[in-house]
Amino acid sequence: MIFSVVTGGAGFIGSHLVDALVGRGERVVVIDSLAAGSRDNLGKHLDEGLVTLVEADLLGDGWQRSLAGATRVFHLAADPDVRQSAIAPDSQIRNNIMGTYRVLEAMRVHRVGEIAFTSTSTVYGEAAVIPTPEDYTPLEPVSVYGASKLACEALISSYCHSFGMKAWVYRFANIIGARSGHGVITDFIRKLREDPEVLEILGDGRQSKSYLEVSECVRAMLYAVDNAPSQYNVFNIGSEDWVDVRRIADIVVGEMGLTGVKYRFTGGERGWVGDVPRMQLAVDRMRTLGWKPEIGSAESVRSAVRAMLE
């Protein structure tokens, strides 16, 4: 039986990944501090004894023994708040970079040979080539979050080549759906519940990005693990189109059944410091492997809005 450890497995994407791993019949251990994740996201699996939860911070000790005998680690635990990283970067340096280093060290000590890591499209910075392929250079992140993820990628590459590990690195577009606790859709729903007449939109509303529903994301992650044989694999995961923020607002307003909502824009091409106004990833490498996204950005947004309203 395959034995997978999922750091951050009680969070948004992590819990959906756990659902899929359990569905594949794997033994699953989740390591999560529950600072951002929730035990409720794993409830049915915990109740049925299909998943073991180790409540721990990766910067602490004691959790490392949970890796003994594991086949691979899915490392999702991170501080994902891009906006906050421009205000107080210390959390992302510690939780993302040092957390990843400690996971890699625990893997080395316990002889776990495989790691799947969730990176981000923000490692590309403001790419001059859109859709952006995995071999695009130079990688010049404009946010501390993007920089921290790029540093993690470098650490993982070095451990693969130094200690014979194998890795799958996923550079995500905007992943959305049920259980998500942050992002533009969450913000819009919250704001409209507080004031159903006026919606504040950060920036000019023309920021255009790729979005992918979380179940499609998880399908791509597992497809890569099953079919990419190289020692160090890097894949973009996203849809093959994009949608702008104003269109997202229209979808949220419509799904909430509201009419006459006025939009108030804060102005400027960026929503916040470190925001990348235009982003779409090239997914040709995943297509060559045999995977392609089944839905586009607007459909992903609509599906996510409905799930989050439920």
Side-chain angles (χ1 to χ4, degrees):
M1 176 185 291
I2 294 176
F3 170 16
S4 292
V5 173
V6 184
T7 71
F12 165 44
I13 300 175
S15 63
H16 286 277
L17 174 63
V18 169
D19 290 343
L21 294 174
V22 169
R24 285 157 60 108
E26 296 188 19
R27 176 189 171 196
V28 180
V29 169
V30 169
I31 302 174
D32 200 304
S33 69
L34 302 184
S38 171
R39 186 183 297 268
D40 292 341
N41 290 339
L42 303 172
K44 62 179 181 180
H45 303 314
L46 296 176
D47 293 342
E48 296 171 7
L50 299 175
V51 169
T52 300
L53 173 62
V54 177
E55 188 174 342
D57 188 323
L58 295 180
L59 299 180
D61 286 313
W63 56 268
Q64 290 91 336
R65 65 177 68 96
S66 302
L67 272 63
T71 308
R72 70 176 59 100
V73 173
F74 288 89
H75 179 37
L76 284 73
D79 181 343
D81 195 335
V82 181
R83 297 184 218 177
Q84 188 63 26
S85 74
I87 302 171
D90 182 67
S91 173
Q92 303 214 341
I93 299 300
R94 289 186 295 105
N95 288 296
N96 298 0
I97 300 176
M98 288 304 300
T100 298
Y101 163 69
R102 289 174 64 81
V103 167
L104 289 167
E105 268 297 280
M107 291 176 61
R108 182 182 66 83
V109 169
H110 291 284
R111 301 183 184 278
V112 182
E114 299 180 356
I115 181 171
F117 173 68
T118 53
S119 188
T120 169
S121 62
T122 61
V123 300
Y124 295 115
E126 296 186 64
V129 177
I130 299 177
T132 310
E134 291 89 346
D135 59 1
Y136 174 82
T137 57
L139 298 179
E140 297 179 348
V142 298
S143 66
V144 173
Y145 173 72
S148 72
K149 286 291 190 174
L150 185 56
C152 292
E153 289 189 19
L155 276 172
I156 292 168
S157 175
S158 70
Y159 267 71
C160 284
H161 292 94
S162 297
F163 305 111
M165 295 179 182
K166 182 176 180 180
W168 298 267
V169 171
Y170 310 114
R171 294 174 177 166
F172 287 163
N174 293 288
I175 309 303
I176 53 179
R179 307 175 196 161
S180 177
H182 73 281
V184 64
I185 297 174
T186 302
D187 288 349
F188 283 173
I189 292 174
R190 176 184 54 79
K191 289 177 178 178
L192 287 167
R193 282 174 171 163
E194 293 173 354
D195 184 351
E197 296 182 357
V198 178
L199 175 63
E200 179 189 71
I201 298 177
L202 302 180
D204 58 14
R206 291 198 290 268
Q207 305 97 308
S208 299
K209 304 180 185 183
S210 174
Y211 292 81
L212 187 67
E213 201 274 328
V214 65
S215 63
E216 279 290 285
C217 171
V218 169
R219 185 171 69 87
M221 292 172 66
L222 295 179
Y223 192 91
V225 165
D226 291 340
N227 294 280
S230 300
Q231 182 178 25
Y232 185 74
N233 304 274
V234 178
F235 292 104
N236 288 336
I237 294 179
S239 60
E240 295 182 292
D241 60 0
W242 56 11
V243 64
D244 66 28
V245 174
R246 180 164 189 140
R247 175 61 177 145
I248 293 173
D250 290 342
I251 293 172
V252 175
V253 167
E255 291 297 327
M256 293 182 71
L258 302 175
T259 59
V261 177
K262 295 181 180 180
Y263 296 160
R264 183 176 68 239
F265 300 94
T266 62
E269 68 170 357
R270 300 179 195 275
W272 56 86
V273 175
D275 183 26
V276 177
R278 283 164 293 282
M279 180 278 295
Q280 183 185 343
L281 300 178
V283 295
D284 299 21
R285 191 174 288 183
M286 282 295 297
R287 270 187 164 274
T288 300
L289 200 64
W291 175 91
K292 65 177 181 178
E294 298 295 335
I295 60 177
S297 290
E299 187 179 350
S300 290
V301 169
R302 190 174 302 279
S303 174
V305 172
R306 291 176 177 174
M308 293 163 73
L309 288 174
E310 290 174 359

